[in-house]
Amino acid sequence: MSEDGGYRWKEFGARIREARTQAGLTQKRLAELVGVRPHTVWCWEAGRMKPNRANLSEIAHHCATSPAALEGLDVVKAELLREAELSFRDALVRLPAEDIESIRNYIRFVKSERRRRSRQGS
């Protein structure tokens, strides 16, 4: 175990805590809004667990920030990412379900190719 006691996502948790307190929310209230137990919020903030994508999006929404900011991306990149996410979401809602599934499959393919190339380069 590492010297930080196994708290793998300390900085991530600190950003969640800061966003929550700036939004004037308690751990209990954020848990209610996100749909998790208060202990889960404590684990996130303590760096013991990292929220999944859906929870991260909910945390960001209720704390008036972006998932990118919670992940520690710089401000400019976070804003660009937020704008891209909004544009992408806006485009997706207009597509039929089979097109959305095709996009998901393409993203999976690109990720697997990236992993494969990374393994070959090692």
Side-chain angles (χ1 to χ4, degrees):
M1 186 163 295
S2 65
E3 68 182 51
D4 66 358
Y7 288 50
R8 297 176 58 193
W9 299 286
K10 278 174 96 168
E11 295 82 12
F12 194 93
R15 287 188 295 274
I16 292 174
R17 182 175 29 262
E18 182 179 344
R20 176 184 58 77
T21 57
Q22 285 183 356
L25 299 172
T26 62
Q27 286 182 343
K28 181 179 179 183
R29 182 62 182 141
L30 181 60
E32 290 168 355
L33 292 169
V34 175
V36 298
R37 296 179 318 147
H39 180 72
T40 301
V41 174
W42 178 86
C43 286
W44 293 335
E45 292 184 2
R48 291 190 171 205
M49 293 179 6
K50 187 176 179 185
N52 65 30
R53 283 298 202 201
N55 288 338
L56 182 63
S57 182
E58 285 293 311
I59 294 165
H61 172 74
H62 294 295
C63 293
T65 189
S66 70
L70 292 174
E71 291 177 302
L73 300 175
D74 66 59
V75 175
V76 173
K77 187 172 182 179
E79 183 59 26
L80 289 173
L81 186 56
R82 187 184 73 75
E83 289 174 12
E85 287 172 347
L86 292 173
S87 295
F88 193 66
R89 181 180 302 246
D90 187 48
L92 280 177
V93 297
R94 293 178 165 90
L95 294 175
E98 58 270 10
D99 290 351
I100 294 170
E101 186 59 29
S102 293
I103 292 168
R104 289 181 67 208
N105 288 336
Y106 178 72
I107 291 169
R108 287 185 194 119
F109 169 75
V110 169
K111 286 175 150 181
S112 70
E113 284 297 300
R114 186 180 305 137
R115 282 191 301 271
R116 184 184 62 77
R117 284 192 307 268
S118 175
R119 285 192 302 264
Q120 286 178 344
S122 298

